[in-house]
Amino acid sequence: MIFVTSPYLPPIEKYMKYVEGIYDRNWLTNNGPLVKELTVRLEEKLGVQNLLLTSSGTMALQIAFKIKNLANKKVTTTPFTFQATYSALEWQGANVDFCDVNKSTWNLDSDLLEKQLASGHRPNCIVPVHTFGNPCNVEHLAKLQSQYGFDVIYDSAHAVTTKTDDGKSILEHGDINCFSLHATKLFHTVEGGGITFKEADELALAQKMINFGLDGEDAASPGINGKLSEFHAAMGLAILDDLSKIEEDRQQQKDLYLKLLESKVEFQQLPLDGKISPSYMPVLFNSETELLNTLSQFNDKGIYPRRYFHPAIHQMQCVKSQGKTWQLPIAEHISQRVLCLPLFFGQPKSQIEEICSFVK
Ligand SMILES: *Cc1c(COP(=O)(O)O)cnc(C)c1O
């Protein structure tokens, strides 16, 4: 069976060397040496500062939303994302609103947001997603932020290694970036996540928050348990050396898909310069019927691509049951027709050729 992705596992000897160290120290969690090492090495690798590792990408979002005090605040996000983006906002008690996506980039449409703002809409915060690693229009959003004064928290779950054309990490933009280190992501710690902060004092606050709010023995505010363990950090460290190799391999596979499927399906519009994390291989069909036909033929052959992201968030049961409705025609149209094809390290070329011949 072939799934949409297959987690990368490092050589077992390499992982075990880190695990042996954990056994020697008998220090299993609570900001141990491996978590500290992974934090520093990840900051270097990505070219970022003020990084905090957390127990999941969802936890990273929860902490970011808590830091910005989003309970009962107006927050605008994209309807075309993974459920976690929305769910974490709702969990934090935010009043969630949506802005439709751009029909080519599939990201929150900053022109549309500008229209909403001009007509009096005043969110306290926006939560755009770099969907499938594709960077949002960060410059335009920064301009709107300085004009209207809202916070910007990016869900960068797909874009940990995405770089803008000046070679800088996409995580340099916005006030806070959250990412996921889940097993299915490009770089992972089995379960895990991380946050980068523009402001060092927010990092300091978050460090306490993920440890029950404790500051020494006392706590100035309540917290949660959002810590990454040493075993999870060990997996991350064992994979980190291979990250460039993993990316090159997946990029080559994406290039092959793009070549073989050119003019057969539509693709997400990506910037000409910069680097996109090769996290997913999404293709857009002409119609949902075409997609469903292809999908059922795939499934008959034991191939399981995924309908990321379907249904669109505002069409999920948990949103509809609140009785509010949104007109988001572009997100609906795209979410009905996008299929993410299998993409993972070490995927045989012949398998991609077979998948492409099916699609054709
Ligand atoms: C995976 C993902 C998350 C959640 O990350 P977890 O580590 O699984 O909690 C959040 N947002 C997006 C867009 C994701 O794809």
Side-chain angles (χ1 to χ4, degrees):
M1 286 200 286
I2 305 167
F3 295 102
V4 66
T5 195
S6 170
Y8 180 80
L9 282 171
I12 192 160
E13 306 77 40
K14 201 166 178 179
Y15 177 62
M16 288 314 289
K17 268 201 92 148
Y18 286 108
V19 171
E20 278 167 18
I22 301 175
Y23 269 70
D24 289 343
R25 288 184 295 273
N26 199 13
W27 185 348
L28 311 189
T29 186
N30 288 6
N31 201 22
L34 296 188
V35 165
K36 285 183 182 144
E37 185 181 339
L38 182 59
T39 304
V40 172
R41 286 194 52 204
L42 209 48
E43 282 184 341
E44 278 169 12
K45 177 86 186 167
L46 305 178
V48 297
Q49 286 181 325
N50 298 336
L51 187 149
L52 179 69
L53 292 169
T54 59
S55 54
S56 71
T58 304
M59 179 58 69
L61 290 166
Q62 309 277 30
I63 297 289
F65 300 159
K66 188 79 182 173
I67 293 250
K68 291 296 184 190
N69 264 318
L70 296 187
N72 300 312
K73 300 279 176 58
K74 281 192 217 163
V75 182
T76 297
T77 189
T78 167
F80 188 60
T81 181
F82 183 57
Q83 164 74 355
T85 318
Y86 167 79
S87 194
L89 277 169
E90 199 57 49
W91 200 261
Q92 215 55 53
N95 293 324
V96 183
D97 202 352
F98 298 101
C99 174
D100 209 349
V101 296
N102 176 282
K103 70 179 191 335
S104 309
T105 66
W106 310 347
N107 284 327
L108 188 147
D109 189 335
S110 57
D111 289 327
L112 212 58
L113 180 69
E114 184 165 19
K115 280 191 195 132
Q116 289 185 354
L117 294 163
S119 68
H121 180 64
R122 289 290 174 272
N124 299 96
C125 180
I126 62 164
V127 181
V129 179
H130 303 298
T131 314
F132 304 132
N134 193 18
C136 294
N137 191 338
V138 288
E139 258 104 54
H140 191 197
L141 291 172
K143 207 176 130 225
L144 296 175
Q145 176 180 26
S146 61
Q147 202 175 338
Y148 292 95
F150 46 74
D151 295 320
V152 180
I153 300 175
Y154 282 109
D155 182 338
S156 304
H158 307 165
V160 203
T161 61
T162 290
K163 288 187 161 72
T164 39
D165 52 6
D166 54 6
K168 284 198 177 152
S169 168
I170 197 68
L171 309 178
E172 294 278 284
H173 297 271
D175 301 306
I176 303 181
N177 275 263
C178 301
F179 54 89
S180 165
L181 301 177
H182 183 259
T184 55
K185 306 292 201 260
L186 182 64
F187 171 66
H188 77 90
T189 57
V190 187
E191 289 278 1
I195 320 175
T196 58
F197 298 91
K198 193 152 93 184
E199 304 295 340
D201 55 347
E202 288 187 344
L203 167 67
L205 187 57
Q207 282 167 334
K208 293 179 197 120
M209 264 184 195
I210 63 163
N211 189 31
F212 318 102
L214 286 170
D215 188 3
E217 289 181 344
D218 200 359
S221 57
I224 198 163
N225 181 357
K227 304 187 298 293
L228 192 73
S229 84
E230 288 290 279
F231 286 89
H232 292 88
M235 182 59 83
L237 284 164
I239 295 176
L240 194 58
D241 290 329
D242 299 339
L243 181 54
S244 300
K245 184 181 82 181
I246 296 168
E247 286 196 281
E248 271 165 40
D249 186 72
R250 291 172 68 133
Q251 189 57 52
Q252 274 179 17
Q253 286 155 15
K254 276 197 85 164
D255 291 343
L256 182 60
Y257 269 121
L258 295 172
K259 195 179 102 194
L260 294 177
L261 292 178
E262 201 192 336
S263 74
K264 304 292 178 209
V265 287
E266 277 179 65
F267 302 116
Q268 186 183 26
Q269 185 189 305
L270 304 174
L272 296 173
D273 301 309
K275 193 194 97 181
I276 313 297
S277 294
S279 297
Y280 298 88
M281 185 57 234
V283 296
L284 187 69
F285 287 82
N286 282 323
S287 68
E288 187 170 29
T289 313
E290 251 184 40
L291 179 148
L292 290 172
N293 284 338
T294 314
L295 188 57
S296 87
Q297 287 182 40
F298 268 134
N299 292 170
D300 289 345
K301 292 268 172 194
I303 303 173
Y304 297 92
R306 279 290 292 266
R307 296 188 75 184
Y308 287 143
F309 301 101
H310 181 268
I313 299 294
H314 65 292
Q315 294 175 318
M316 292 264 185
Q317 211 53 53
C318 64
V319 183
K320 286 202 291 196
S321 64
Q322 296 179 358
K324 272 184 95 176
T325 51
W326 278 272
Q327 296 299 316
L328 303 160
I330 300 167
E332 281 168 32
H333 200 45
I334 286 169
S335 105
Q336 283 160 2
R337 295 180 296 139
V338 171
L339 193 63
C340 282
L341 301 177
L343 182 76
F344 49 90
F345 178 83
Q347 188 180 15
K349 215 175 138 188
S350 58
Q351 192 183 89
I352 296 177
E353 285 163 353
E354 190 194 339
I355 290 170
C356 290
S357 66
F358 261 126
V359 175
K360 284 183 204 166

